[in-house]
Amino acid sequence: MAMSDPPISRLPRPTGEREALLAIWATPTGWRLPTAVNNTVIGLFYLGAAFVFFLLGGILAVLMRTQLAQGENDFLGQEVYNQMFTMHGTTMMFLFAVPAMEALGVMLLPQMLAARDLPFPRLSAFAVWAYVIGGAVFFSTIFYGLAPQGGWFMYPPLTLTRYSPGDNADFWLLGIGFIEISAIAGAIEIVVGTLRTRPPGMTLSRMPVFAWSMLIFAGMIIFAFPAVILATMLLEIERAFGWPFFTAARGGDPLLWQHLFWFFGHPEVYIIFLPAAGLVSMMVPTLVRTPLVGYRLIVVALIGTGFFSFGLWVHHMFATGIPSLSLAFFSAASMAVAVPSGIQVFAWIATLADGGQRLRLTTPALFILGFLFIFTVGGLTGVMVALVPIDLQVHDTHFIVAHLHYVLVGGMVFPLFATFYFWAPLFSRRPLSERLGRWCFWLMFIGFNVAFFPMHLAGLAGMPRRVWTYPADIGWDLPNLVSTAGTYVLACGIFVFIVDLARNFRSGSGAGNVWQAGTLEWLPNDVYSTRSIPHVTSRYPLWEQPGLARAVEAGAHYLPDAPTGTRETLVTSAVEAQPQFVLQMPGPGWSHVLAAAFTAAFFLLLTVKLVWIASACGALALLFCLVWSWGLDPGPAKGEVPIGGGMRLPTYMTGPQSHGWWAMAVLMLVAGSLYLAYVFSYLYLWTVSPEVWAPAAAPSPPSPVWPLGSATALLGGLGFMIVAGRTLPAPGRRGVVAPVALLLAAALFVGAVAVEVLGHLEAGLDPRASAYAAMVFMAGVLAGQTVAAVVVMALLVAARIIARRTDRARRNSFDHTRQLAAYAVAQTSLGLLLIHGFPRWVA
Amino acid sequence: MICAGPLLWALHFAFVYATHAGICASGGRIGLAAGEAMPWLLVPATAVVLAALAALAVSPRLLDRLQAATEIDEQGEFLTSVGRLLAALALFGVAASAIGILALPACEPTR
């Protein structure tokens, strides 16, 4: 829409309207700053924290390389070295790589989609605080010799209590376990944000590639992270209570951990790579002033990579003795996944070629060219190790260390630095320095290749991974010395970047569209994002819709004001981006910050076995979550409001179109994935250890009366939920029937779980006796977990009904509780079928 | 439904891996000799999936019907073409994984 087109909203806008937006969206200052929820503030904090963890992980790497510079070195002892490589890997993978990509999503996605914020601002803020506090405490363990030592992947039996006594492993299991909650919260935001808060006219075919990559990133988190969450639960329960999931002597299997961990671990590396690829797909067209060649193929490649990455995990287990046909499936898939990655590389090359002479070798361009080279080398060695015979030769050698760093540093860190230089002008009053940027690039590029290329040779010469020293004079000294020198050069490059950041980055209104880019994040913006939400008709609106920036800034497009007086954005339909309703969002507050702090405290205090204090912190976390929830769900009181273009939209939506319904659906997918991982684990252990399974070797399953009783209670609870839904009071009325029905539903759900657990206890089953028994009780744990969430929500909703904050019209809090309750019933019922039906069927 | 192709790939992959792993792990417990059972289960399943993927890749109308598109517009055309390309990619993935069924012994470990 050019300035000459009829405006969607009447011009000129009334005086005071922009000032009202500024006031509503103002960032808290002074000691209230931690309460901020604006995506730009939270995103910058998130990215800054991730970068700090990158530096900390990098320092560990420099120390390790110093130790390995020569054979039989005694710079670091073995135990310290073991903690260092574990912490390096864990920090880089869990505390830097995924959070950095989430942070960029938080910072850039709303801007690219011209949304005023993400759909659940406090949820993002909660996730960030939990991550920062938890990550800081977790990393600090290296200073007290309490850091885990089992490698970043923490294989049992090494990480069982017998071989890893002390709290070290528990810090990993509990610390990283709950940081994964942050990732899932972020995934919920991103799915709902990309699918429901795009500007009108931004159909899926016009969506920025970074939004596509983040959508797939979030989808992968939803299905991959639950497997490792289950694995960490199982290992922690075995360490704490002796339930033998991974102990072969009692029917467990250490390989179960490997399956669960790598089912997460392989998608994890694509979770890390795909957003970086999406960023490159945004930067390359801008740097050559040409639309992306092969947009459609890149979307196909991103989705294809996302799916294929779930079929690769056993390639981390080629040396475990699994039958060769099984290995062949994964070997083939590991090669097949190179095809969509290659499609993206060729699309970028084609775009660069199309741009021809227009490419100037600015710092972002240099980092992108560096990425193309390094990532391609890493991809080539990846195809090599996808071949089983080669992998058997190089498994657990430094060849793999070289490969993984080429793909991860090349595929993520280089695009990240390109991103810093490219998008800094959006968040800083001054762009970063081109001169320092070139120094940074060349030091990093040369340093990286000098550090990691010789590792291919060291690995082929037989040098294993994770060794704190090696014999001098067996031919490994020279490549190691060269690698160490390269590491120091790489570190210098990063130091130059820090200097550049300190000298030039000044947070505040951006330096403007310095690249003359075509996408929406470069529109004039302030704390409220854009002055109005644009109508979009192309993939590069700033190139193809002349005058758009001025029209948006003048308030000529949608929602140039805040008709409800609160923070708002537009919710649109998932495919065609038709406006549907105006979303009212919460602003700054303390409750989510305190909930995050006490959640972190709960998990970390449990690690050091301070159970009572941990429980108190857990209760406080729950309390602040309730306080936070109490203020949500504003209801339809504000009616419909004008958004421009002659449209009036509701300010509240219930049912499947509501953003909360979508969030709950995503949460159910996460919970379902975790439960499927549990079902897999149960069946897997049965194939491995049928001799410990009921009815042959264990107490017979309890009489069918027990599961039938449990199922009856579940259905009864669901019935009362339905009754509650039908008896919600009219707006403004108090209502008694619905709260009572909710309380009865809660009681029945709890009763269902209790009956199930009691039945097994009564049958004489001991969860420590065998992996079968442990799995049976684990079903009870998972059922209890889900039911506990439903009970808390049901009690909250009952209280809200009594307080007249939930009713027949203002009903989202009830509807989402009923959604989760239905899921809990389905999951628990499946569990009953498995636990009571399967042993009878195999008998 | 643009992900119909990759979803079929995922289902096929899960089926062949689970069936193969289950049969090999169970030995003779479930009454099937591994070498006999494997081709009879895996090859037909693969053939069905390959046929379905080929149909999705070749026929735009099939995907349009899955998406319940009533007219071909820019958006519908984009989603249909993405769906077809994904089906073609998935076909390649299924074929690549399935080659092993024809070439390798049923349950032996690597030598």
Side-chain angles (χ1 to χ4, degrees):
Chain A
M1 183 194 176
M3 263 316 272
S4 54
D5 290 338
I8 290 169
S9 292
R10 234 168 351 145
L11 291 180
R13 298 306 308 163
T15 5
E17 194 176 71
R18 184 172 174 272
E19 287 69 21
L21 278 176
L22 282 169
I24 288 166
W25 287 92
T27 307
T29 53
W31 61 276
R32 286 206 172 84
L33 185 57
T35 64
V37 296
N38 299 49
N39 72 293
T40 45
V41 176
I42 289 296
L44 208 54
F45 179 37
Y46 208 164
L47 191 62
F51 188 70
V52 167
F53 283 119
F54 172 68
L55 296 178
L56 292 173
I59 290 169
L60 294 178
V62 170
L63 293 171
M64 288 194 289
R65 282 302 335 160
T66 306
Q67 164 65 14
L68 291 178
Q70 59 186 39
E72 294 163 30
N73 201 356
D74 59 1
F75 174 66
L76 295 172
Q78 181 175 19
E79 196 165 312
V80 170
Y81 188 88
N82 292 353
Q83 292 188 18
M84 284 200 172
F85 69 67
T86 302
M87 292 301 282
H88 169 77
T90 305
T91 301
M92 289 301 197
M93 296 299 279
F94 288 107
L95 300 182
F96 160 62
V98 175
M101 295 294 108
E102 295 243 21
L104 288 169
V106 169
M107 283 173 83
L108 291 175
L109 268 182
Q111 321 308 109
M112 287 180 182
L113 305 179
R116 297 209 190 279
D117 208 316
L118 288 164
F120 308 97
R122 288 190 184 178
L123 184 62
S124 301
F126 168 86
V128 175
W129 281 108
Y131 150 71
V132 169
I133 297 170
V137 174
F138 172 74
F139 192 86
S140 74
T141 55
I142 194 138
F143 298 117
Y144 328 124
L146 276 177
Q149 305 174 47
W152 85 280
F153 41 76
M154 295 291 284
Y155 280 6
L158 174 62
T159 49
L160 294 176
T161 321
R162 181 175 172 188
Y163 302 106
S164 292
D167 296 332
N168 309 48
D170 302 301
F171 270 110
W172 193 101
L173 294 168
L174 288 164
I176 295 300
F178 100 88
I179 283 166
E180 285 147 11
I181 296 172
S182 280
I184 285 167
I188 291 173
E189 290 270 25
I190 288 162
V191 170
V192 183
T194 51
L195 289 180
R196 301 299 305 285
T197 65
R198 301 198 307 278
M202 186 184 275
T203 58
L204 285 178
S205 63
R206 295 174 187 152
M207 194 162 77
V209 178
F210 181 60
W212 274 108
S213 66
M214 289 305 286
L215 180 60
I216 293 149
F217 159 93
M220 292 170 71
I221 285 178
I222 286 162
F223 293 105
F225 272 60
V228 75
I229 293 174
L230 176 72
T232 56
M233 286 172 70
L234 298 182
L235 185 53
E236 185 54 41
I237 289 173
E238 176 154 1
R239 285 178 59 86
F241 304 115
W243 298 14
F245 301 108
F246 306 112
T247 299
R250 281 179 280 161
D253 188 0
L255 228 58
L256 173 63
W257 169 273
Q258 293 193 33
H259 279 293
L260 290 172
F261 184 85
W262 290 115
F263 186 80
F264 146 80
H266 196 83
E268 158 85 339
V269 306
Y270 287 95
I271 284 168
I272 289 166
F273 168 62
L274 288 187
L279 290 164
V280 171
S281 291
M282 304 289 292
M283 289 186 276
V284 164
T286 301
L287 292 172
V288 292
R289 309 274 167 79
T290 302
L292 185 66
V293 171
Y295 173 95
R296 196 170 301 210
L297 283 170
I298 285 196
V299 171
V300 169
L302 288 169
I303 298 173
T305 306
F307 272 90
F308 279 176
S309 69
F310 280 89
L312 271 50
W313 84 90
V314 172
H315 75 207
H316 298 270
M317 300 163 64
F318 277 164
T320 54
I322 288 172
S324 57
L325 181 54
S326 278
L327 301 187
F329 297 143
F330 292 90
S331 178
S334 303
M335 285 182 268
V337 82
V339 170
S341 299
I343 288 172
Q344 293 192 77
V345 171
F346 285 118
W348 296 322
I349 293 172
T351 309
L352 289 169
D354 207 29
Q357 306 282 344
R358 287 195 289 272
L359 177 66
R360 289 184 305 121
L361 290 180
T362 54
T363 303
L366 287 171
F367 273 107
I368 286 170
L369 293 173
F371 144 73
L372 282 172
F373 174 78
I374 295 174
F375 179 70
T376 302
V377 171
L380 291 173
T381 56
V383 176
M384 286 171 67
V385 295
L387 301 170
V388 174
I390 295 183
D391 186 75
L392 291 178
Q393 180 65 44
V394 301
H395 175 67
D396 257 358
T397 71
H398 266 68
F399 188 95
I400 300 295
V401 179
H403 160 67
L404 75 92
H405 284 90
Y406 265 83
V407 283
L408 286 174
V409 175
M412 185 262 180
V413 176
F414 273 68
L416 181 68
F417 276 74
T419 296
F420 289 151
Y421 279 90
F422 187 85
W423 272 288
L426 212 57
F427 302 99
S428 168
R429 294 195 295 274
R430 298 207 305 249
L432 298 176
S433 158
E434 268 298 304
R435 190 180 63 89
L436 287 175
R438 279 170 216 273
W439 272 98
C440 172
F441 168 73
W442 284 111
L443 287 169
M444 284 182 67
F445 183 78
I446 292 169
F448 173 83
N449 283 289
V450 170
F452 287 97
F453 197 84
M455 289 187 196
H456 294 106
L457 306 172
L460 286 171
M463 183 175 176
R465 297 174 69 169
R466 298 183 285 273
V467 289
W468 102 103
T469 191
Y470 52 91
D473 306 324
I474 60 168
W476 298 345
D477 303 62
L478 182 60
N480 273 284
L481 189 61
V482 171
S483 285
T484 301
T487 303
Y488 290 144
V489 173
L490 174 59
C492 289
I494 292 164
F495 179 73
V496 167
F497 175 74
I498 295 171
V499 169
D500 193 357
L501 211 59
R503 287 178 67 170
N504 294 302
F505 190 87
R506 297 290 177 270
S507 177
S509 300
N513 191 358
V514 302
W515 306 104
Q516 281 126 54
T519 43
L520 294 178
E521 74 274 20
W522 296 99
L523 283 170
N525 65 69
D526 207 310
V527 286
Y528 46 73
S529 184
T530 49
R531 178 73 171 82
S532 54
I533 296 175
H535 185 89
V536 163
T537 56
S538 72
R539 281 181 198 148
Y540 298 95
L542 296 187
W543 287 349
E544 291 165 27
Q545 292 173 244
L548 180 67
R550 273 184 300 141
V552 165
E553 179 64 2
H557 283 253
Y558 297 102
L559 212 61
D561 58 347
T564 67
T566 61
R567 298 182 170 205
E568 303 152 348
T569 197
L570 271 183
V571 175
T572 54
S573 60
V575 175
E576 300 282 356
Q578 307 273 10
Q580 290 180 321
F581 67 97
V582 172
L583 174 60
Q584 296 179 71
M585 296 182 287
W590 282 108
S591 53
H592 63 276
V593 183
L594 293 169
F598 284 112
T599 305
F602 167 70
F603 281 94
L604 293 163
L605 289 168
L606 270 186
T607 307
V608 293
K609 320 288 191 282
L610 292 171
V611 179
W612 287 111
I613 307 176
S615 303
C617 289
L620 284 167
L622 193 59
L623 172 69
F624 284 110
C625 284
L626 293 171
V627 169
W628 170 8
S629 305
W630 191 258
L632 298 176
D633 194 8
K638 301 214 170 129
E640 289 190 348
V641 296
I643 63 157
M647 274 190 270
R648 292 181 69 83
L649 291 182
T651 53
Y652 185 72
M653 185 63 70
T654 59
Q657 272 195 6
S658 80
H659 66 307
W661 192 97
W662 281 57
M664 191 54 74
V666 172
L667 189 64
M668 285 156 58
L669 286 173
V670 170
S673 301
L674 195 144
Y675 203 74
L676 279 178
Y678 161 76
V679 172
F680 160 78
S681 305
Y682 178 99
L683 295 172
Y684 174 81
L685 286 179
W686 171 74
T687 64
V688 169
S689 305
E691 68 279 3
V692 308
W693 233 256
S700 293
S703 149
V705 170
W706 292 95
L708 284 171
S710 186
T712 306
L714 286 173
L715 290 172
L718 197 58
F720 276 112
M721 291 293 299
I722 294 169
V723 167
R726 298 228 168 109
T727 55
L728 286 174
R733 307 291 291 272
R734 207 177 285 271
V736 169
V737 178
V740 169
L742 281 164
L743 289 174
L744 287 170
L748 282 168
F749 289 142
V750 171
V753 177
V755 162
E756 168 64 2
V757 172
L758 279 170
H760 294 296
L761 289 172
E762 220 264 343
L765 204 58
D766 177 1
R768 292 164 301 180
S770 70
Y772 160 73
M775 273 291 163
V776 168
F777 281 95
M778 195 62 200
V781 169
L782 294 176
Q785 213 178 6
T786 321
V787 159
V790 171
V791 165
V792 168
M793 289 176 73
L795 293 177
L796 173 70
V797 172
R800 284 181 66 107
I801 293 170
I802 293 168
R804 289 183 279 198
R805 295 176 77 87
T806 288
D807 53 52
R808 208 175 294 159
R810 185 180 177 182
R811 56 179 301 139
N812 276 331
S813 53
F814 170 78
D815 286 346
H816 303 332
T817 304
R818 186 176 53 185
Q819 251 180 302
L820 192 63
Y823 169 78
V825 168
Q827 178 195 284
T828 309
S829 303
L830 176 64
L832 291 174
L833 206 58
L834 178 72
I835 297 299
H836 296 274
F838 184 80
R840 290 179 165 95
W841 179 64
V842 295
Chain B
M1 288 323 290
I2 64 172
C3 294
L7 281 168
L8 280 172
W9 168 86
L11 285 169
H12 171 264
F13 195 93
F15 175 73
V16 296
Y17 179 51
T19 305
H20 173 257
I23 290 176
C24 292
S26 69
R29 283 203 309 275
I30 58 174
L32 286 171
E36 292 162 14
M38 214 72 71
W40 288 112
L41 284 167
L42 301 187
V43 170
T46 303
V48 165
V49 171
L50 284 173
L53 288 169
L56 285 170
V58 161
S59 163
R61 276 202 224 115
L62 189 55
L63 263 169
D64 288 340
R65 245 181 262 140
L66 283 173
Q67 291 178 99
T70 52
E71 56 189 76
I72 304 299
D73 57 0
E74 178 211 337
Q75 186 55 34
E77 190 271 330
F78 170 77
L79 292 175
T80 298
S81 68
V82 166
R84 290 173 69 194
L85 289 165
L86 280 169
L89 188 62
L91 195 148
F92 166 70
V94 168
S97 287
I99 287 172
I101 300 169
L102 302 173
L104 289 170
C107 291
E108 289 164 32
T110 26
R111 267 176 258 113

